[in-house]
């Protein structure tokens, strides 16, 4: 889809929702929420699973009415949980896995709500964190590594569940402020104040928190876990400043600035630093 077509497409949706909000405000808000919370890519299919995931032991877990999948590469008693980001899946860890396997650790990757082989059609961080908690209760992980929204979910998980077994957390290209993401979406569709306020109310209910405090910086400021934050200065998806915000609130953390990696953050040197941080304590 070309930029002009995409612009017209998004503005047409926004125009329709704004008109609908004056007649059926609840329906308009629900559609706007669905468009924001439902990933458009990131699904996996069991009939065509990538080889690296086929090699893992695939385990099903349940949270309320939904099923989610994890992929386990068994090693020693040191357990690392991997938490991918928005519109992605556990395959995103393919390039990091060889480095982590060399440590001998047991590695577990989780498919987020509505991603990979997990069920559902909507994503939210509290639900994703509940998935981590279910896996953590069984496997007692020592380390968490999260990319993008997965990194923010790791921070929320430790903030909310306070798992004493978690010693270190790594976040890669992760956002801090939820309001920035929501406002970016509202601006993209040019949504009116009616829908904006209704979306904010809906997310306050989901988060059980004000949107201001639903931030990576706030979560990080309330945990004692040691952390490593890596963010690329050329990240066009999540601004570099978001990583710096998290670092400013995280007392016991190291910040790594990368160049030229974009949002994906795939890099041999970075992956070596991550494994060093986890197992040898990078200074």
């Amino acid at each position: 889809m070309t930029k002009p077509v995409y612009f017209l497409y998004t503005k047409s949706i926004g125009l329709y929702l704004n008109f609908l909000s004056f007649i059926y405000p609840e329906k308009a808000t629900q559609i706007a929420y669905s468009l924001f919370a439902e990933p458009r890519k990131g699904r996996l299919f069991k009939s065509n699973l990538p080889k690296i995931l086929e090699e893992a032991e695939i385990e099903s877990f349940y949270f309320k009415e939904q099923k989610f999948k994890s992929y386990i590469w068994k090693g020693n008693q040191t357990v690392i949980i991997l938490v991918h980001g928005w519109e992605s899946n556990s395959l995103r860890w393919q390039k990091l896995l060889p480095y982590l396997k060399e440590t001998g650790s047991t590695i577990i990757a989780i498919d987020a709500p509505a991603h990979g082989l997990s069920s559902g059609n909507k994503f939210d961080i509290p639900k994703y964190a509940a998935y981590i908690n279910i896996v953590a209760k069984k496997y007692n992980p020592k380390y968490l590594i999260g990319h993008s929204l997965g990194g923010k979910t790791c921070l929320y998980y430790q903030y909310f569940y306070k798992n004493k077994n978690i010693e270190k957390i790594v976040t890669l290209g992760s956002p801090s402020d939820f309001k920035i993401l929501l406002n970016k979406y509202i601006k993209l569709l040019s949504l009116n104040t009616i829908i904006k306020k209704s979306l904010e109310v809906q997310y306050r209910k989901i988060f059980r928190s004000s949107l201001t405090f639903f931030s990576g910086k706030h979560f990080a400021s309330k945990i004692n876990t040691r952390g490593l934050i890596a963010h690329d200065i050329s990240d066009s998806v999540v601004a570099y400043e978001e990583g710096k915000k998290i670092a400013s609130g995280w007392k016991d953390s190291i910040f790594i600035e990368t160049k030229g990696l974009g949002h994906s953050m795939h890099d041999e040197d970075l992956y070596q630093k991550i494994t060093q941080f986890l197992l040898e304590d990078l200074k």
Side-chain angles (χ1 to χ4, degrees), residues 21 27 39 49-50 55 61 83 106 114 119 121 124-125 131 141 166 169 173 180 185 195 213 215 235 270:
S21 70
K27 185 175 181 180
L49 206 60
E55 293 171 351
F61 293 89
V83 187
T106 292
S119 65
N121 56 16
D124 69 63
I125 285 177
Y131 287 12
I166 301 295
I169 297 174
I180 288 178
Y185 169 71
I195 299 176
F213 286 107
S215 74
D235 191 332
L270 176 60

Side-chain angles (χ1 to χ4, degrees), residues 195-212:
I195 299 176
K196 180 179 184 290
K197 288 183 177 179
S198 295
L199 283 173
E200 290 176 348
V201 169
Q202 185 150 347
Y203 271 106
R204 281 200 297 270
K205 290 178 181 177
I206 292 171
F207 296 157
R208 291 178 287 176
S209 165
S210 73
L211 301 192
T212 300

Side-chain angles (χ1 to χ4, degrees), residues 58-240:
I58 302 175
E59 187 171 3
S60 297
F61 293 89
Y62 293 87
F63 174 71
K64 296 181 179 178
E65 76 286 356
Q66 294 190 348
K67 179 168 68 174
F68 68 96
K69 296 287 187 176
S70 70
Y71 309 83
I72 306 167
W73 294 269
K74 288 190 174 179
N76 58 36
Q77 292 184 335
T78 299
V79 177
I80 304 169
I81 289 184
L82 306 178
V83 187
H84 71 78
W86 172 252
E87 293 189 338
S88 184
N89 53 61
S90 293
L91 181 62
R92 96 122 263 149
W93 302 110
Q94 185 173 17
K95 294 181 180 179
L96 174 60
L97 276 168
Y99 297 89
L100 297 180
K101 284 181 177 180
E102 286 182 2
T103 69
S105 304
T106 292
I107 306 158
I108 304 174
I110 300 173
D111 279 339
H115 291 75
L117 293 176
S118 294
S119 65
N121 56 16
K122 292 184 178 63
F123 171 93
D124 69 63
I125 285 177
K127 186 186 294 182
Y128 201 5
Y131 287 12
I132 297 174
N133 192 50
I134 290 168
V135 175
K137 282 183 175 179
K138 180 173 181 178
Y139 288 102
N140 298 313
K142 197 172 182 180
Y143 309 125
L144 301 178
I145 303 176
H147 173 251
S148 194
L149 277 178
K152 183 171 180 177
T153 302
C154 290
L155 294 175
Y156 174 80
Y157 165 77
Q158 191 63 357
Y159 161 79
F160 188 80
Y161 291 95
K162 298 176 175 58
N163 187 336
K164 294 180 180 179
N165 291 324
I166 301 295
E167 294 184 6
K168 296 176 184 177
I169 297 174
V170 176
T171 66
L172 307 171
S174 298
S176 175
D177 298 351
F178 175 78
K179 288 193 77 173
I180 288 178
L181 297 176
L182 184 60
N183 288 338
K184 187 176 179 180
Y185 169 71
I186 290 166
K187 184 178 180 181
L188 176 68
L189 269 61
S190 298
L191 298 176
N192 63 25
T193 305
I194 297 171
I195 299 176
K196 180 179 184 290
K197 288 183 177 179
S198 295
L199 283 173
E200 290 176 348
V201 169
Q202 185 150 347
Y203 271 106
R204 281 200 297 270
K205 290 178 181 177
I206 292 171
F207 296 157
R208 291 178 287 176
S209 165
S210 73
L211 301 192
T212 300
F213 286 107
F214 199 82
S215 74
K217 177 181 178 180
H218 177 69
F219 304 149
S221 71
K222 301 297 180 181
I223 64 177
N224 296 318
T225 317
R226 186 156 168 73
L228 185 149
I229 305 151
H231 214 111
D232 197 83
I233 60 172
S234 60
D235 191 332
S236 61
V237 178
V238 177
Y240 172 78

